[in-house]
Structure formats: C-alpha cells, structure tokens
Amino acid sequence: MGEIRLISGKYRGKLLESPPGASTRPLLSRLRKSLADILRPRLHGAAVLDLFGGTGAIAFELLSNGAERAVIIELDFSAAKILEQNAKRLGAQARVVQGDCLEAIVRLGKADEQFDVIMVVPPYYMDLQRKAMEALAAASLLAAGGVVIVQRDKSEPFWEAKTPFIHEQTRAYGRTVFDFYHLEAGVAQR
C-alpha cells in the first residue's frame, strides 16, 4: 500500500493510504493544488461528487480546502474500504459508495441529490468521460452555479457539451487536460 500526502488546506500534510498496485492513478500533487486553487472561491460549504474515487486524493483535497461534504464513488471494493478508512482517519464528511459510477449517478438522481462540484476523473482510454457526462446530463445532479470537471489525457477526445451543459474552459498541464462545464443559462436541473 502506498501513501499520498495532502498538500493544501486544513488537512495539509496528512497522509492518505492508497490501494496497492496500478488499479488507481493518483493525480499529481501539483495538479491537485491547481484544481484546489481554481475551485477555492466556490468550495466554502460545497458538496462534491467524485465519480471515480480511486485514491480519493481529489475529493479529500477539496474537502481540505473548504468543501463541506463529499460523495466518493469507487468501483473496486478494496479501494472503497481504504477510502472509508481515510475519511474516518481525517474526520472528513465523506460518504463512500462502492459500485459502478454510472449506476450511482442514476441512484443519486432519484434521491434528488445535488452537488456544487462534480469530478469526472476515470481511467484513461475507456470512453468513460463521455459515458459519465451523458449520464450526468440526464440525472440533474449539478446544482445551480456548479461545475463539472472532466480530466482526460490530451490524446483523448473532447466531450462536446450537450444540454444542459456548456463548455466553460479547458486547462492543460502537460498531458493532463481538465475540461470545465456548467449549466446553460436559464436551465435549472430541478
């Protein structure tokens, strides 16, 4: 098992356990810090949804920087257990849901949950960015004024925004690309 250090906010310096092997791909610390810096103005009291939890580093970094609560979806059973242990050790308001994120999106939508920040950071080259965004478009999970951030490798296709989303901006950091989406003006998902 490896460890990942949180780099900013109230949990700065705290270590997260990460699953062994190559089943998860933790986001580099400088990229987590960049995301936290970009999102910080909207994090106070925010609800975060991390669809492909992996190590949980992104969700915990956002919680460390002012988000109030997070729901972290993770397919792998052992990784989900480690995420639960990390949340407990930090005392973070993070609910871990073990299962497929596309199914979880439907369940969260039926439960009328909404989130201010939704992270879509799937394994590369599996077309999961597109599948997740299409599921999100149908589920009404993004709160008014919220943002969806999709991470992809620069060689992967850009997801062309569909109602109710519009593309806001793209930021590239070497091979890593973040696409930012928000709701169309006048579109209320609920």
Side-chain angles (χ1 to χ4, degrees):
M1 221 179 299
E3 293 180 329
I4 297 169
R5 185 174 306 278
L6 295 173
I7 54 163
S8 61
K10 68 183 179 182
Y11 301 137
R12 180 183 178 153
K14 301 283 186 188
L15 293 174
L16 300 174
E17 295 295 326
S18 66
S23 63
T24 58
R25 171 186 39 86
L27 188 61
L28 297 173
S29 58
R30 67 182 173 83
L31 298 180
R32 287 195 324 269
K33 182 169 185 338
S34 293
L35 268 179
D37 290 345
I38 292 165
L39 294 171
R40 191 169 287 112
R42 62 172 78 213
L43 285 178
H44 180 73
V48 172
L49 174 60
D50 187 349
L51 290 177
F52 297 86
T55 65
I58 295 172
F60 291 120
E61 201 74 56
L62 298 181
L63 286 165
S64 184
N65 282 279
E68 183 176 309
R69 66 181 181 90
V71 174
I72 306 171
I73 313 298
E74 174 51 46
L75 181 62
D76 183 81
F77 180 81
S78 60
K81 289 298 175 200
I82 292 169
L83 286 167
E84 288 173 346
Q85 293 167 1
N86 284 332
K88 188 174 187 177
R89 191 170 45 257
L90 290 173
Q93 292 291 87
R95 176 169 49 116
V96 178
V97 176
Q98 190 274 316
D100 181 86
C101 82
L102 300 177
E103 294 170 6
I105 289 169
V106 173
R107 285 194 309 273
L108 291 168
K110 287 180 180 176
D112 290 331
E113 293 208 44
Q114 287 206 311
F115 300 90
D116 304 293
V117 177
I118 299 176
M119 297 299 307
V120 180
V121 184
Y124 290 159
Y125 308 111
M126 297 178 71
D127 196 34
L128 291 170
Q129 291 92 339
R130 180 190 59 78
K131 291 176 183 176
M133 289 303 290
E134 289 175 2
L136 286 170
S140 302
L141 294 179
L142 188 62
V147 63
V148 178
I149 302 159
V150 177
Q151 179 188 332
R152 61 184 169 88
D153 183 86
K154 71 177 184 176
S155 67
E156 290 184 287
F158 168 78
W159 183 74
E160 291 292 337
K162 297 176 185 167
T163 299
F165 297 119
I166 62 171
H167 178 252
E168 181 178 314
Q169 65 175 310
T170 295
R171 292 189 182 214
Y173 301 86
R175 294 198 59 84
T176 302
V177 176
F178 295 109
D179 297 312
F180 293 74
Y181 300 87
H182 63 266
L183 293 174
E184 295 174 336
V187 172
Q189 284 209 291
R190 292 223 200 287

